[in-house]
Amino acid sequence: MRLSLARYLPVLDWGRRYDRAAFANDLIAAVIVTIMLIPQSLAYALLAGLPPEAGIYASIAPILLYAVFGTSRALAVGPVAVVSLLTASAVGQVAEQGTAGYAVAALTLAGMSGAFLVLLGVFRLGFLANFLSHPVIAGFITASGILIATSQLKHILGIQAHGHTLIEMVGSLVAHLDQINPITLVLGVAATGFLFWVRRGLKPLLRRMGAGPLLADVATKAGPVAAVVATTLAVWGFGLADRGVAIVGSVPQALPPLTLPGVAPDLIRQLAIPAILISIIGFVESISVAQTLAAKKRQRIDPDQELIGLGAANLGAAFTGGYPVTGGFARSVVNFDAGAETPAAGAFTAIGLAIAAVSLTPLVYFLPNATLAATIVVAVLSLVDFSILRRTWDYSRSDFAAVAATIVLTLTLGVEIGVASGVLLSVALHLFKTSKPHVAEVGLVPGSHHFRNINRHDVATDRHVLTLRIDESLYFVNARFLEDLVQDRVTDGCVIRHVVLMCSAVNEIDFSALESLEAINQRLTDMGIGLHLSEVKGPVMDRLRTTHFLDEMNGRVFLSQYDAWQALARPEMDRANAAE
Amino acid sequence: MRLSLARYLPVLDWGRRYDRAAFANDLIAAVIVTIMLIPQSLAYALLAGLPPEAGIYASIAPILLYAVFGTSRALAVGPVAVVSLLTASAVGQVAEQGTAGYAVAALTLAGMSGAFLVLLGVFRLGFLANFLSHPVIAGFITASGILIATSQLKHILGIQAHGHTLIEMVGSLVAHLDQINPITLVLGVAATGFLFWVRRGLKPLLRRMGAGPLLADVATKAGPVAAVVATTLAVWGFGLADRGVAIVGSVPQALPPLTLPGVAPDLIRQLAIPAILISIIGFVESISVAQTLAAKKRQRIDPDQELIGLGAANLGAAFTGGYPVTGGFARSVVNFDAGAETPAAGAFTAIGLAIAAVSLTPLVYFLPNATLAATIVVAVLSLVDFSILRRTWDYSRSDFAAVAATIVLTLTLGVEIGVASGVLLSVALHLFKTSKPHVAEVGLVPGSHHFRNINRHDVATDRHVLTLRIDESLYFVNARFLEDLVQDRVTDGCVIRHVVLMCSAVNEIDFSALESLEAINQRLTDMGIGLHLSEVKGPVMDRLRTTHFLDEMNGRVFLSQYDAWQALARPEMDRANAAE
C-alpha cells in the first residue's frame, strides 16, 4: 500500500527528506522564477486571447498540483508560448475572443486536456507521444514561433488584426496598416529592441564591466521586468492611455477564483481533437525538459507519472480560472539554474504569484499590451530554428520531408493540420522505407565463419545455393516484396537448387509474412528448389513453432549460416562445372 | 527502344514465339472458360446491380487489353464477386439502381480505377497494395462472401430488399418475407441445392462410376450451365414468368457498345475513394492468383506491369459498357488447368463471349434471376473461411485483432469502412509493437566470442559495463523508449561506467533516434559514463558518418561486440571487488 501510494504521490518520497538547506535553495529559486513569471504570465494570457489574470491563475494551482504528483524536481509548470497559441487557435473556433464563452471554452480545454493526460498516465500510454518525431516537433515549434511572433505584431503596431494562418495574419495586418498608432509603435519597438539587446548584449557588457556571472545572469533575467516598469511609468506619466495606447487595464485583485469548465456535449466534441493535440504536444515539450534536467543530477523521470502530474496541473487550471499549461523550457531552466532542489520551489513560486495576484495587480493597470507583445516576440524568436531543415536534409531526405511539410502546412493551413500532417507523413515514410527492405546476397568470407554481401566483399559462393540476408523485420508491408524478390531471383538463375533466408536481422515475422513464406515454400517446391532458414532469433522461432510452417517447409532451419553453408554448398563442384 | 516497348507490351515477347501447339492448347482452354463465363458474367452483373449484358461486355474488351499489356500467361480478367459487391456499394451511393445514371457511374468507376491503376504502374507504386495485410484481406473476403450471399437471398426468395450492411439486408429481408414468391423459392432452392451437390458430390460420384478425371472435371464445371438450361426451360415451358418469377428478360443482341464514362466533378469526387479501394483490392486479388499460377511454370510476373495490364482492362471496360474488373481466382485456375499457355487463350475467350453476345442472348430471356443468384451464393460461400480467426489467434493476437475488426466492421458498417479500418488498425498495431522493442542485456558466453541474453544464458558480465542488444530499428516511435531505458538502467546501477549499445539488429537510425542518441550521450557524459556502439551495420554507419554524432560521442564504435568487451570489461576486477 505504501509503495503504490508513493508511486502516485512522488511528494511522499522527497517530502520525507526535506531539510533546511533544501528549503533555502528552493526559496531563492522561487523568488527568481516569480519575478520572471509575472510579465510572462500576463503576456501568454494575451497570446491565448484571455484576460491577463488568466495567465497568473494558470501558474498557481497547476504548479502546486504538479509539485504533489510530478516526478521532476525542477520542472516549472504554467502557460507556455506554443500551448497558448494552440489554445487561441482551438478556442477561437468555438467562441468570440473577449466573451464569457471564450473563457469557459479555455477552461474546458484545460479540463479535457487534464483528463486525457491522467487517463494516458493511468493506462500507461505515454508512448503515444512518440508518434511526434523529433523533426516534426522541431518543424512545428519553428513554425509556431513564426506564427506567434506574427500574431503579436498587431499589439506592437497598435492595430486590430486577426487570423490563424500566416497568410491570414499578414493579410489582416496589411489591410489595417492605416490604423497604426504611432505612440504604441514607438513603445513596442523600443521594448522589443531593448529586450533583444538585454538577451544578446547585456550579459557580455556587464561581464566586461566586472560584474560577477550571477549578477549578470539575474540582470538579464530581470530585463522584461525593467521593460514592464519603464513602459508602464511612461504610459502613466504621459497619459498615453488617452492617446490610443492599449493597456492591460484593471486586473482583479484576488486569489484564483473557483471556476467550472463547460460540459456541453457540442463544446466537448469541438474541442476533443485540439485537447488531444495540446496534451501530447505539451507532454512532449515537458518530458524533454524534465529528462534533460533530471539527467544532470542523475535523477529519474517516470513518463507515465509525468502524465498524471501534468494532467493534475491542467485539471487544476480548469477549476481556478486558468487555461492549458505544461512544463515550460525557459522557466524550468531558470528554476534549475537558480538552485531549485525539490518541487517545493514550485510551491513557493505559486505562493509568490498568489501574493502578486492579490497585491501587485493594480500596478500593471497602465502596462501597455505592446510591451507584453515585445516580451513574447523576443522569447519565441529563439524558438525559430531553420537549421533543422539543413540538418535533416544532410541526414535523411525522408526526415527532411516530414520537417518541411510540417513547417509549410503549419504556416499555411494552421497548427492542427500542420502537426497532424507531419505525424501522418512520418508514419507513411517509415512504412515506405520498410516496404522495400535492404536484402543482400551473401557469401562466405574465406577462412572464416562470417558471411558478407557478395557485392562488397570477395567471398565464396555456390551457384546452386542462393543465400539472402534480409535486413528488416518481415511484416505485411514488405511481405509481398519478399515473394517478388525470391521469385525474381530463382527464375533468373536456372541452376539454383537451394534458397537460404538468413534472418539475423529479422526481429519479427507477422502473419502476412508467414503466409508469404508459405507461398514462397510452395512455389519453390513446385520448382524443385529447397527453402531453408538460418540464424532465426529466439522469439521469432518460438512463434514459428506454433504453426505448421516448419513441418511444411521443404528445407531445414539452421542455427548458424555457416551450418547451412556446410550442409548445402559444394563450391568445388562449381569449379569443376565451370571447367566443362 | 525495342526493349522499352517490350517492357510495356509483353505481347511482343510471347507473340513472337507463338506456334501451332500453343494455339491448340489456348483454343481448348478458351472454349472451357467461355462456357463457364456466360452464366457467371450474367450473375455478377446482377450482383453489381447492372443489366446482365454489362457482365458479358465487361469480359470482352478487358480480356483483350489484358492479353496485350499483362504479364501473366494464365490470368483471366473480368467481373469478380468482391469487386462486383464493391461496385454495387459505391455506385448505389450516387445513383438509383436501374437508372441510366447508375450505369454511367459504374463506367466512371471503371474508368477511374483504370486510370489509377495505370498511374500506379507507370510510377511503379505497386507496393502500396502491401498495406493490405494478408489477415485484413482474408477477413475482408470472408465478410464480403457473407454480404454477397445475403444480398442474393432476395432473388432466391423472390422479394424486394436492399441495404449495404448485414443488419440492413437481414432487416429488409425479414420485413419483406410476406412477399415471398413460392415458385421462385422452389426454383432458387433447387438450383442452389443442385449446384452445391455438383460442387461437393458430383465429381466423386462420376469417378466411382468410372469416368475419367477430365470428364468428371468438365462435368463439374458445366454444373452452372446445366442449372441455367434446366431452370430456363422450366420457366419457358410452364409459363412461370407470368406467375411472378423474375427473369433476365431481353438482353441486347449486339457487340459491346462504345460508351463514355462520366466526367462530372461531383461524380468523380464521390467515387474517388471507392475507385482507389476497388483498384487496390482488385490488384491484390489478381496479383496473388497470377503469382501462384506463374510459379507453377517458373514464369515471372512484373507487379508494376500488372498494374498497367489491369488498368488497361478497366479502361476498356469503361468504354465498352462494362464495370470494374480484375483477375479472378476461379476463372484463372480453370484457364490454367484447361491448358492455356499464353494470353491468346484470353483473346479467344473474348471472341467466344462476343459470339455469345450476338447470338445466344435471346436464349437467356427466360432465365430466372434466382438461378443466377444461386450460382453466386454457391461460388461465394467458398470464400467464407473463418479459420483465419483461429489461425491468427494462435499465431499473433495483433494479427487476430486486425482480422476480427475487419470482419465485424465490414459486416456492420460496410465494405469501405471495414477494409479501411483493417488497414489503419494493422498499421497502428505494427507501430505499437515496434514502439517498445525487445532489448536484451547481454554477456559473453565463456570460451566463445558470442554474446547472449543474461537472463537466458550463463554468461560472463562486468558490473561496470552495461551491454544492451537492441532488437529493432531505431526510429521516432521508439526513440524516446531508448532514452528512458538507458536512463533507467544507469540510475539503477550506480557502478556502471560504460554503456555499450549492440546494434546488430538495428537496420535504421532515423533523425529522431539520432537526436535521442545525442541526448543519451549528453546525459551519460554528465554522469561520467561512457557511451559506445558495437556491430553497427554498414548503411547505418555510412549515415552516422555524415553527422557530428560520432565526434561528440564520448566513447567508441567497435566493429564487433567482442572488441568492445576486450576494451572495456575487466571481469577479474569484479571478482576481486566481490571478495572485499
Short mmCIF file of all heavy atoms in Angstrom, two decimals, chain A residues 213-230:
data_model
loop_
_atom_site.label_atom_id
_atom_site.label_comp_id
_atom_site.label_asym_id
_atom_site.label_seq_id
_atom_site.Cartn_x
_atom_site.Cartn_y
_atom_site.Cartn_z
N PRO A 213 29.25 36.55 -12.66
CA PRO A 213 28.33 35.84 -13.57
C PRO A 213 26.91 35.78 -13.03
O PRO A 213 25.95 35.91 -13.80
CB PRO A 213 28.95 34.44 -13.68
CG PRO A 213 29.92 34.32 -12.54
CD PRO A 213 30.34 35.71 -12.17
N LEU A 214 26.75 35.61 -11.70
CA LEU A 214 25.41 35.51 -11.14
C LEU A 214 24.67 36.82 -11.33
O LEU A 214 23.52 36.84 -11.80
CB LEU A 214 25.49 35.15 -9.65
CG LEU A 214 24.11 34.93 -9.00
CD1 LEU A 214 23.44 33.70 -9.57
CD2 LEU A 214 24.23 34.84 -7.49
N LEU A 215 25.34 37.92 -11.03
CA LEU A 215 24.71 39.24 -11.17
C LEU A 215 24.31 39.47 -12.63
O LEU A 215 23.19 39.91 -12.92
CB LEU A 215 25.68 40.33 -10.71
CG LEU A 215 25.13 41.77 -10.86
CD1 LEU A 215 23.91 41.99 -9.97
CD2 LEU A 215 26.22 42.81 -10.55
N ALA A 216 25.24 39.18 -13.54
CA ALA A 216 24.96 39.39 -14.96
C ALA A 216 23.74 38.57 -15.39
O ALA A 216 22.88 39.03 -16.14
CB ALA A 216 26.18 38.98 -15.79
N ASP A 217 23.65 37.37 -14.84
CA ASP A 217 22.55 36.47 -15.17
C ASP A 217 21.23 37.03 -14.66
O ASP A 217 20.22 37.08 -15.40
CB ASP A 217 22.83 35.12 -14.53
CG ASP A 217 22.45 33.99 -15.44
OD1 ASP A 217 22.82 34.06 -16.63
OD2 ASP A 217 21.78 33.06 -14.97
N VAL A 218 21.21 37.44 -13.41
CA VAL A 218 19.97 37.96 -12.82
C VAL A 218 19.54 39.23 -13.54
O VAL A 218 18.36 39.41 -13.85
CB VAL A 218 20.17 38.20 -11.30
CG1 VAL A 218 18.97 38.97 -10.73
CG2 VAL A 218 20.36 36.89 -10.57
N ALA A 219 20.50 40.08 -13.87
CA ALA A 219 20.17 41.32 -14.57
C ALA A 219 19.52 41.01 -15.92
O ALA A 219 18.54 41.65 -16.33
CB ALA A 219 21.44 42.16 -14.77
N THR A 220 20.06 40.00 -16.60
CA THR A 220 19.49 39.61 -17.88
C THR A 220 18.06 39.11 -17.71
O THR A 220 17.16 39.45 -18.48
CB THR A 220 20.36 38.50 -18.52
OG1 THR A 220 21.72 38.91 -18.47
CG2 THR A 220 19.95 38.25 -19.94
N LYS A 221 17.85 38.30 -16.68
CA LYS A 221 16.50 37.75 -16.44
C LYS A 221 15.52 38.86 -16.08
O LYS A 221 14.34 38.75 -16.34
CB LYS A 221 16.54 36.73 -15.30
CG LYS A 221 17.49 35.59 -15.54
CD LYS A 221 16.76 34.33 -15.90
CE LYS A 221 17.71 33.34 -16.52
NZ LYS A 221 18.88 33.05 -15.68
N ALA A 222 16.04 39.91 -15.44
CA ALA A 222 15.15 40.97 -14.99
C ALA A 222 14.81 41.95 -16.12
O ALA A 222 14.00 42.85 -15.92
CB ALA A 222 15.79 41.73 -13.83
N GLY A 223 15.39 41.72 -17.29
CA GLY A 223 15.14 42.61 -18.43
C GLY A 223 13.67 42.85 -18.68
O GLY A 223 13.22 44.01 -18.74
N PRO A 224 12.86 41.79 -18.84
CA PRO A 224 11.43 42.02 -19.08
C PRO A 224 10.77 42.84 -17.99
O PRO A 224 9.91 43.67 -18.27
CB PRO A 224 10.85 40.58 -19.14
CG PRO A 224 12.01 39.74 -19.57
CD PRO A 224 13.22 40.37 -18.95
N VAL A 225 11.18 42.64 -16.72
CA VAL A 225 10.58 43.41 -15.63
C VAL A 225 10.93 44.88 -15.81
O VAL A 225 10.07 45.77 -15.66
CB VAL A 225 11.08 42.88 -14.27
CG1 VAL A 225 10.54 43.76 -13.14
CG2 VAL A 225 10.65 41.43 -14.08
N ALA A 226 12.17 45.16 -16.18
CA ALA A 226 12.59 46.55 -16.41
C ALA A 226 11.77 47.17 -17.53
O ALA A 226 11.30 48.32 -17.41
CB ALA A 226 14.08 46.59 -16.74
N ALA A 227 11.57 46.42 -18.61
CA ALA A 227 10.77 46.94 -19.72
C ALA A 227 9.35 47.22 -19.28
O ALA A 227 8.75 48.26 -19.64
CB ALA A 227 10.78 45.95 -20.89
N VAL A 228 8.79 46.32 -18.47
CA VAL A 228 7.43 46.49 -17.96
C VAL A 228 7.35 47.76 -17.12
O VAL A 228 6.46 48.60 -17.30
CB VAL A 228 7.01 45.24 -17.15
CG1 VAL A 228 5.80 45.56 -16.28
CG2 VAL A 228 6.74 44.07 -18.07
N VAL A 229 8.29 47.92 -16.20
CA VAL A 229 8.27 49.07 -15.30
C VAL A 229 8.42 50.37 -16.10
O VAL A 229 7.63 51.31 -15.94
CB VAL A 229 9.40 48.93 -14.24
CG1 VAL A 229 9.52 50.24 -13.43
CG2 VAL A 229 9.11 47.75 -13.33
N ALA A 230 9.40 50.39 -17.00
CA ALA A 230 9.67 51.62 -17.75
C ALA A 230 8.48 52.03 -18.61
O ALA A 230 8.05 53.18 -18.61
CB ALA A 230 10.92 51.43 -18.62
#
